[in-house]
Amino acid sequence: MTTRVRRVALALMGLSGFAGLGYQMVWTQQCALWLGFEAAAVLAVITAFFGGLALGAVAFGGRIERTASPLRWYIACEAAIGLWGLALVVLMQPVGDAVEHWIGAEPAVWWQWTVTFSASFLLLLPATAAMGATLPAIERIVGVHIDTDPGSGPGSGSGEEKRSIAGLYAANTFGAVLGVLLATFWLVPAFGLAATAGVCVGMNALCAIGAWRWLHAERPSAALHDAWRLPSGTSTHRSGPASARWPRALALTLLALSGLLGIGYEVVVVRVLSQLNEDTVYTFALLLAVYLVGTSLGAAGYQRWWRRWGKQQEEDRLSSLLPGVLGATCLIGLAALWAAPLLKNGAMNALGTGFAAALSAEALLAVAAFGLPTLAMGAWFSHLSARAMGQGVAFGRALAVNTLGAAMAAPLFGVVIAPWCGPKAALLLIAGGYLAAAVAGLKTRRRPTTAPMTAMTAIVTIALVVMAVLGAPLAFVDVPDGSRLVSYAEGSMAAVSVVEDEAGVARLRINNRQQEGSSASLFVDGRQALLPVLMHPAPRRVLFLGLGTGATSGVAAQDTSLQVDTVELLPEVIEASPHFTRALGLDAAMPRLVAADARRFVRASEAHYDVIVSDNFHPARSGSGALYTREHFVAVRERLAPQGLFCQWLPLHQLDLDSLRSITRAFVAAYPDAIAVLAANSLETPVIGLVGRRDPAAPRSTASSTQTQTSMPTLASWHARVEGAPARRDGRTLADFGLDDEFALLGSVVAGPASLAAFAGRVPMNTDDRPIVAYLAPRLVYAPASTPKERLFEFLHQVSASPSDVGVQSPDDSRRVAAYWQARDRFLAAGRSARPVADPAAMLAQVGEPLLDAVRLSPDFRPAYDPLLQMAIALAPRDAATARRVLTVLRDAQPARIEAAQALQAMGQ
């Protein structure tokens, strides 16, 4: 084989690998937008991708082996991939819309699995099948040049075959690494999914053109081509005496096992590390890149080893040594996972803070878990392929069997074994599978089993048993001193736990990283339900997207006039929610709970709701960014009944202002009349709500549902809406959530439509095709450049509202609302630099004057009244004069409240 052919073939495999993994990243994200982010959808796409590769290798591998023109096959395959990749840019959306409706809003499990797998498999098949044939075609091209190279005698191709297979596999995998990293860190965030697919199409075109330009000129003579035209069913790879000792069935079985166990190991390790890493798009890209780099280096190392030590006795030894080493390295990887928390803490302490440092720490964990096992995986696959070909198995068939095993790994380990048995048992099972393969390799050796090999197998087996008996479960849950683990559940997508501290406050955690609320956050959680409900004139049916602890939708369900539905992605969260709702006294009535992807439910459902409330999903978490796109906001609008209202809560403590602008622009594009509200006056965990209506001309509140569309609400009608709120089953009142009157309700408004549009500006909009938030928000998680408090005040500084934004028109009412907002801003500013202290005099010295100013500005503003009253009463025994001054201001500023007057009377005033 000429050096030129070898170099061109390696370059083509690198480019093809880049395109293949680039497509996988793009198509996985695009399919999830219409299939959902449930386990069925995520795993079905992965399985369909591998299944298509296997089918392509099976369907075309034999023809490629028998053809005299493998170059034409390769060019045709690359062209087919590129053309179908280009077609999917147009077809993905309409096909997705149809599949969403086929699945339905609340499908049976078997139906959802069937449709998600079938749809993704068939949609991707033209490209994935062609992908499955590219590596066999290139291997066949290289094989032709090996056997037609002058000076090559009979049987001289054996060592070259091993070299070509391993080298091509390594180049293809290395290209895949570049595809993953460039797509994640540059192409998708900068240009979008469709443009990234276009880059991959260009790679396919470059491969096809390059192959025709550089390999066509190097093809052997026609006479030599004719020598390769063999009868149907005849293999081009010759079996020698040595290879006859390896049964063909065993070779294929081990190839399938290598794919199954290798991808199974990846699935389980990614699952475990998600409890320690941030679970962002960058996390997954780094884990996949490390896995691919390891297998590429393993294959390259195998190729280099064969150049120097390609002897039959070494080949026999490797048949048992490599799987034995794999079993041992998997156990080492398991031990590294147990030590992962210490490794990450040490890395963060050594590397410091910052985006690069945080990603480096995650990469270190990936190397610790994947490094050694993937090196052995790459070498073992190359060895198995070479031995199978030596037995007369075409490389296309060998690749197909391996890929078919890989296709089965995701559902088997991700859905069945890991959730049922736990990650530790799954990894031990994988290590045991490799040991079984090592024993099978020993039995096929011509010479008697050597003592070193037997000893190694015995040692690894003993280590496996010891780890099974003594090893702790791979469940990482932070349980502080004095706290206890209430519940823990392994699901197919995440581990969900409930931790309760010594004060009885319970917190919900997903993968030990995502705090979804606690039993102490009822005030804020309840306001996130009540504010949007009260802003609708007469709601009857409400939908909540996201359950969390169940407090938000649970508060709404206590309203006797409401029918409440709640959609939650993780069934384990639904199972954990009763712990919180019972403790909060919200079990008198429960919403109807649906385990489904919120985005898919909205698009597939035919129901209409008066109010839809979307939870404040962590924007950096994998998949959450899809709930903040323009397309999703438009789909929600279609589910709203006439005069319907949608509220999207946004966690400003987990969101940078650039991401907030991108989301706001997407929201305003769907709801031009949008306003922004503040969930509560918390400065540490501020939550902003974007509120829009299906019908922009509809009034923002009415005293009754019979009010006409053209009438504008007055302050009196807002008062009637609050006062006329239906009775609640839990016995609580609106005042328990700080919604005493119409001013408390309107006082949450911080921005009007014009102000929000100006705030968003011309920043890139968060869309399905360009998921800005999914790639931008993680940077705040890894390296926060500001505090939530700073971001809140920066936002409030850039936005504003007018009374007309909430339908208040009369001069007197407008003055009172504006005064309330001014008092609110003064109240928030008082807390900006305040430091909580136990001494009432010290606390009053910090915030007393700003709070008194707030009380003077608006007699209707109550939030400052209560803390001032408490500080004055506590201060009275030792500083009566200051206490009297504060109480006098409170009494005179807000005469409707009698607490200050009563306190003065008690002091003898």
Side-chain angles (χ1 to χ4, degrees), residues 878-897:
R878 56 177 180 166
D879 190 349
T882 300
R884 287 193 184 94
R885 182 178 69 85
V886 172
L887 291 172
T888 301
V889 172
L890 294 179
R891 180 195 62 189
D892 296 341
Q894 296 189 8
R897 302 192 65 175

Side-chain angles (χ1 to χ4, degrees), residues 28-295:
T28 299
Q29 293 185 57
Q30 289 178 328
C31 288
L33 293 174
W34 41 272
L35 291 177
F37 286 87
E38 296 114 317
V42 174
L43 297 177
V45 173
I46 297 174
T47 304
F49 197 90
F50 279 110
L53 295 176
L55 183 59
V58 170
F60 304 125
R63 297 182 181 182
I64 291 172
E65 287 294 325
R66 295 188 298 271
T67 185
S69 303
L71 178 60
R72 294 181 180 177
W73 273 93
Y74 176 75
I75 293 173
C77 287
E78 291 289 355
I81 297 169
L83 290 174
W84 193 248
L86 195 61
L88 286 182
V89 174
V90 178
L91 294 177
M92 190 68 77
Q93 183 61 51
V95 171
D97 292 341
V99 172
E100 280 178 336
H101 288 89
W102 290 342
I103 296 175
E106 301 179 49
V109 174
W110 68 269
W111 175 250
Q112 183 176 6
W113 274 97
T114 300
V115 175
T116 52
F117 174 78
S118 301
S120 54
F121 178 77
L122 294 175
L123 181 64
L124 305 181
L125 182 59
T128 55
M131 288 179 189
T134 53
L135 186 54
I138 279 288
E139 186 277 332
R140 174 71 166 78
I141 294 170
V142 173
V144 170
H145 283 274
I146 290 173
D147 278 18
T148 59
D149 188 27
S152 296
S156 65
S158 178
E160 289 291 337
E161 285 170 4
K162 297 173 180 63
R163 289 168 50 190
S164 66
I165 295 167
L168 294 172
Y169 176 70
N172 189 254
T173 308
F174 181 73
V177 173
L178 293 180
V180 168
L181 295 180
L182 287 180
T184 301
F185 287 87
W186 176 44
L187 291 173
V188 175
F191 304 106
L193 295 173
T196 302
V199 171
C200 296
V201 171
M203 292 289 184
N204 295 131
L206 188 60
C207 287
I209 296 171
W212 178 258
R213 174 67 180 82
W214 299 108
L215 293 181
H216 183 266
E218 294 285 336
R219 62 181 180 178
S221 66
L224 290 173
H225 268 302
D226 290 339
W228 280 83
R229 289 198 181 98
L230 302 176
S232 178
T234 303
S235 172
T236 61
H237 296 283
R238 295 171 296 279
S239 301
S243 63
R245 292 190 301 274
W246 249 51
R248 183 178 300 187
L250 176 61
L252 294 176
T253 300
L254 291 179
L255 278 166
L257 188 66
S258 68
L260 176 69
L261 298 180
I263 299 300
Y265 184 84
E266 179 192 11
V267 168
V268 178
V269 169
V270 169
R271 178 190 183 86
V272 173
L273 290 181
S274 66
Q275 301 178 67
L276 300 169
N277 294 332
E278 293 296 341
D279 195 23
T280 68
V281 290
Y282 301 112
T283 301
F284 179 75
L286 283 176
L287 291 173
L288 183 56
V290 170
Y291 181 91
L292 294 173
V293 166
T295 55

Side-chain angles (χ1 to χ4, degrees), residues 344 347-364 782-783:
K344 184 172 185 180
M348 294 301 295
N349 291 334
L351 297 172
T353 59
F355 182 65
L359 289 181
S360 298
E362 292 190 349
L364 176 63
Y782 290 120

Side-chain angles (χ1 to χ4, degrees), residues 213-592:
R213 174 67 180 82
W214 299 108
L215 293 181
H216 183 266
E218 294 285 336
R219 62 181 180 178
S221 66
L224 290 173
H225 268 302
D226 290 339
W228 280 83
R229 289 198 181 98
L230 302 176
S232 178
T234 303
S235 172
T236 61
H237 296 283
R238 295 171 296 279
S239 301
S243 63
R245 292 190 301 274
W246 249 51
R248 183 178 300 187
L250 176 61
L252 294 176
T253 300
L254 291 179
L255 278 166
L257 188 66
S258 68
L260 176 69
L261 298 180
I263 299 300
Y265 184 84
E266 179 192 11
V267 168
V268 178
V269 169
V270 169
R271 178 190 183 86
V272 173
L273 290 181
S274 66
Q275 301 178 67
L276 300 169
N277 294 332
E278 293 296 341
D279 195 23
T280 68
V281 290
Y282 301 112
T283 301
F284 179 75
L286 283 176
L287 291 173
L288 183 56
V290 170
Y291 181 91
L292 294 173
V293 166
T295 55
S296 178
L297 291 177
Y302 177 84
Q303 172 183 341
R304 188 172 184 82
W305 186 90
W306 264 106
R307 286 180 177 176
R308 298 177 57 187
W309 305 103
K311 300 178 181 179
Q312 179 59 48
Q313 57 268 31
E314 300 300 336
E315 180 177 293
D316 285 344
R317 184 179 300 171
L318 282 177
S319 296
S320 55
L321 176 63
L322 285 175
V325 169
L326 257 171
T329 55
C330 284
L331 294 182
I332 294 173
L334 175 58
L337 290 175
W338 277 319
L342 295 177
L343 287 175
K344 184 172 185 180
N345 290 336
M348 294 301 295
N349 291 334
L351 297 172
T353 59
F355 182 65
L359 289 181
S360 298
E362 292 190 349
L364 176 63
L365 295 186
V367 170
F370 282 138
L372 293 177
T374 53
L375 287 173
M377 288 175 192
W380 194 41
F381 169 74
S382 300
H383 176 74
L384 289 174
S385 298
R387 295 219 71 179
M389 292 170 65
Q391 181 60 29
V393 177
F395 178 64
R397 186 179 181 190
L399 183 64
V401 171
N402 177 264
T403 309
L404 185 60
M408 297 171 59
L412 180 61
F413 284 95
V415 177
V416 180
I417 296 177
W420 286 7
C421 306
K424 185 188 84 169
L427 291 175
L428 290 173
L429 182 62
I430 290 170
Y434 285 125
L435 284 179
V439 172
L442 285 172
K443 292 181 178 181
T444 61
R445 297 186 61 187
R446 178 174 56 181
R447 296 191 306 170
T449 301
T450 59
M453 294 298 300
T454 304
M456 184 196 73
T457 305
I459 291 172
V460 175
T461 302
I462 293 172
L464 189 152
V465 173
V466 171
M467 288 184 170
V469 175
L470 301 180
L474 290 171
F476 300 105
V477 182
D478 294 332
V479 183
D481 293 339
S483 301
R484 68 184 183 95
L485 182 63
V486 177
S487 65
Y488 179 87
E490 284 278 359
S492 57
M493 296 187 64
V496 176
S497 58
V498 176
V499 178
E500 189 176 87
D501 64 21
E502 54 189 356
V505 176
R507 290 178 172 81
L508 176 68
R509 295 186 178 275
I510 298 176
N511 283 336
N512 192 38
R513 299 290 301 175
Q514 187 171 338
Q515 184 170 320
E516 292 292 329
S518 73
S519 57
S521 59
L522 178 63
F523 180 81
V524 175
D525 292 339
R527 286 177 63 92
Q528 291 183 38
L530 295 174
L531 283 172
V533 167
L534 289 172
M535 288 183 174
H536 190 280
R540 290 294 179 266
R541 194 173 186 186
V542 182
L543 172 66
F544 287 86
L545 305 180
L547 177 64
T549 62
T552 301
S553 58
V555 166
Q558 306 311 306
D559 187 325
T560 56
S561 67
L562 295 181
Q563 175 187 340
V564 180
D565 295 341
T566 303
V567 179
E568 169 58 43
L569 177 65
L570 299 177
E572 295 76 24
V573 169
I574 294 177
E575 295 172 1
S577 62
H579 177 84
F580 296 91
T581 53
R582 284 195 300 267
L584 296 172
L586 299 176
D587 52 351
M590 294 295 295
R592 187 177 74 91

